[in-house]
């Protein structure tokens, strides 16, 4: 297989889907996630903080509620943009240069659903050798280092170079939804009762609430619940995988071999994704002190 390397053209950057229906579905999925982010931000800051809380006589809660929600929300949006825009870790040119120079000396084996540590595998789609843990994305049309999965919500692969951003996106989005529900729950209950005419919307409050404000807040609550229900299983799945230094693909390996990429501790495994422990763990930026380059 290694002899083929020199004769094949390198894979192109991610190409647009040829099927317009598939392309439309991908953009629609991403658009939905963006609209939810925008709506939640506007509904909380404009409707809840500026209209609902003052109407209910809870003005003292505006400042702490704004800080708690907007901190998580802004970090979630930042993480989303970073995960979407980042190169997920497309196999770099220097790897192909190395593989071409090595020629027959580079051992290339067929890709299998099992651990293959220290071995280059042959991609039948690209017709090229690729590093260990790299896999081909059928949507983007390229091989990605330490590929985890293709995420339609961010319209990008999740791999070596943006897995940190993806995890932070899930963490901060879950935090934003949790804070939103915790802060608004009593007022959501009040609005629901008022809309169902179980309680007078004008009783014991400084000024009446508009029906449109109550509807907007209830939609906000439903979206927050939906978001949390969607994100919680992802959080429960990906944090343990990062702590074990395995990917979604590797989790399904039918192999008795112990994980050869386990670095021996949770912190060391997390460092493979986040870099050496530091304040940059908290932000969707490239690790200041990465422990690997994703190739070897």
């Amino acid at each position: 297989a290694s002899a083929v390397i020199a004769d094949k053209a390198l894979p192109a950057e991610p190409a647009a889907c040829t099927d317009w229906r598939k392309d439309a579905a991908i953009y629609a999925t991403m658009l939905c996630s963006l609209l939810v982010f925008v709506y939640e931000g506007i509904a909380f800051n404009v409707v809840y903080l500026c209209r609902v809380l003052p109407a209910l006589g809870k003005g003292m809660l505006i400042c702490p509620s704004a800080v708690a929600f907007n901190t998580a929300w802004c970090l979630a949006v930042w993480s989303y943009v970073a995960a979407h825009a980042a190169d997920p870790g497309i196999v770099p040119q220097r790897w192909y240069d190395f593989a071409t120079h090595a020629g027959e000396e580079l051992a290339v084996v067929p890709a299998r659903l099992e651990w293959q540590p220290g071995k280059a595998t042959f991609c039948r789609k690209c017709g090229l050798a690729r590093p260990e843990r790299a896999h081909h994305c059928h949507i983007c049309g390229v091989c990605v280092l330490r590929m985890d999965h293709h995420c339609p919500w961010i319209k990008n692969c999740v791999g070596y170079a943006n897995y940190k951003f993806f995890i932070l996106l899930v963490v901060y989005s879950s935090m934003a939804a949790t804070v939103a529900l915790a802060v608004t729950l009593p007022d959501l209950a009040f609005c629901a009762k008022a809309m169902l005419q179980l309680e007078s919307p004008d009783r014991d409050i400084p000024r009446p609430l508009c029906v449109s404000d109550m509807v907007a807040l209830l939609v906000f609550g439903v979206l927050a619940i939906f978001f949390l229900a969607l994100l919680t299983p992802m959080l429960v799945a990906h944090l343990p995988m990062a702590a074990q230094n395995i990917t979604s693909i590797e989790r399904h390996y039918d192999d008795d071999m112990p994980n050869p990429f386990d670095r021996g501790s949770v912190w060391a495994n997390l460092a493979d994704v986040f870099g050496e422990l530091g304040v940059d763990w908290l932000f969707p930026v490239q690790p200041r002190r990465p422990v690997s380059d994703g190739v070897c």
Side-chain angles (χ1 to χ4, degrees), residues 30 79-87 153-156 162 165:
M30 180 183 174
S79 300
Y80 183 96
V81 173
H84 164 71
D87 172 356
W153 299 104
I154 63 171
K155 195 180 172 293
N156 200 2
N162 69 343
F165 306 155

Side-chain angles (χ1 to χ4, degrees), residues 41 61 83 154 204 208:
L61 297 178
I154 63 171
D204 299 328

